[in-house]
């Protein structure tokens, strides 16, 4: 703006500056059409080389989506349940199953009390295998339980009293 301008000269200078800014913004907007995800959309033909507009493998698109939305932790937690056999190995997976994962603590149910004891002894190596497959700090602690005993409190043959003593006790 001109120094010492007043009245109509000042108004004309402000109007010219606003028009120039508007024209620059319109030219810039036309030149770089931006998509909703913040990436610049290219126009025209892609040509012979690789281009972001080329068809992408579904896995690459999903990886990009998981990263963009911040779903890495839930995806890693889901891998523990979905790929249990691959994570811990076929023999361990045959005799156990993951039950619950909450705050980095995984609850595992073993098929028998003997396998529960064995899994407790293998807890350190299981945590290392899980960290190697799914990532660090997804599972920090293991809770291993044996099979649940049957409930004697309900059913058609319920008898009052304390129930069996020597079987589960």
């Amino acid at each position: 703006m001109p120094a010492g301008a007043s009245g109509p000269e000042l108004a004309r200078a402000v109007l010219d500056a606003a028009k120039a800014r508007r024209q620059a913004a319109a030219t810039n907007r036309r030149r770089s059409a931006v998509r909703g995800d913040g990436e610049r959309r290219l126009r025209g033909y892609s040509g012979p080389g690789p281009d972001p507009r080329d068809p992408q493998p579904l896995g690459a698109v999903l990886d990009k989506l998981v990263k963009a939305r911040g779903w890495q932790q839930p995806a890693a937690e889901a891998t523990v349940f979905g790929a249990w056999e691959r994570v811990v190995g076929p023999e361990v997976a045959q005799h156990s199953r993951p039950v619950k994962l909450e705050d980095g603590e995984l609850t595992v149910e073993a098929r028998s009390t003997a396998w529960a004891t064995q899994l407790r002894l293998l807890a350190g190596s299981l945590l290392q295998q899980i960290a190697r497959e799914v990532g660090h700090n997804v599972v920090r602690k293991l809770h291993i339980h044996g099979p649940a005993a049957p409930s004697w409190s309900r059913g058609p043959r319920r008898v009052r009293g304390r129930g069996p003593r020597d079987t589960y006790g």
Side-chain angles (χ1 to χ4, degrees):
M1 285 189 226
S6 63
E9 296 168 356
L10 182 61
R12 173 59 69 195
V14 169
L15 182 63
D16 289 341
K19 280 184 179 180
R21 273 191 308 241
R22 191 168 128 211
Q23 280 182 339
T27 304
N28 196 14
R29 196 176 314 124
R30 266 186 248 123
R31 212 177 311 132
S32 67
V34 177
R35 295 186 346 202
D37 58 358
E39 289 186 17
R40 192 168 165 260
R41 191 170 81 193
L42 303 172
R43 299 203 182 266
Y45 296 106
S46 66
D51 191 275
R53 294 172 290 180
D54 291 342
Q56 303 292 318
L58 184 61
V61 173
L62 285 176
D63 287 343
K64 188 176 177 182
L65 178 69
V66 165
K67 250 183 213 172
R69 300 281 171 102
W71 293 340
Q72 292 95 341
Q73 186 73 13
E77 291 173 358
T79 303
V80 172
F81 290 94
W84 180 246
E85 185 173 349
R86 184 184 53 144
V87 170
V88 295
E91 187 178 5
V92 173
Q94 184 180 4
H95 298 285
S96 65
R97 68 182 183 95
V99 178
K100 177 175 74 168
L101 177 60
E102 207 169 70
D103 298 328
E105 297 183 5
L106 178 65
T107 303
V108 177
E109 183 179 281
R111 181 173 284 177
S112 66
T113 53
W115 267 100
T117 304
Q118 186 67 23
L119 290 177
R120 285 186 195 107
L121 293 173
L122 293 173
S125 64
L126 287 176
L127 283 172
Q128 288 176 350
Q129 284 178 318
I130 292 170
R132 190 173 33 247
E133 286 291 326
V134 228
H136 296 285
N137 291 328
V138 175
V139 177
R140 293 185 299 274
K141 190 175 181 182
L142 287 177
H143 294 285
I144 300 169
H145 301 289
S151 171
W152 299 104
S153 63
R154 293 188 184 93
R157 294 181 179 86
R158 168 77 172 119
V159 177
R160 290 182 192 238
R162 293 175 46 160
R165 286 288 147 250
D166 60 345
T167 309
Y168 296 102

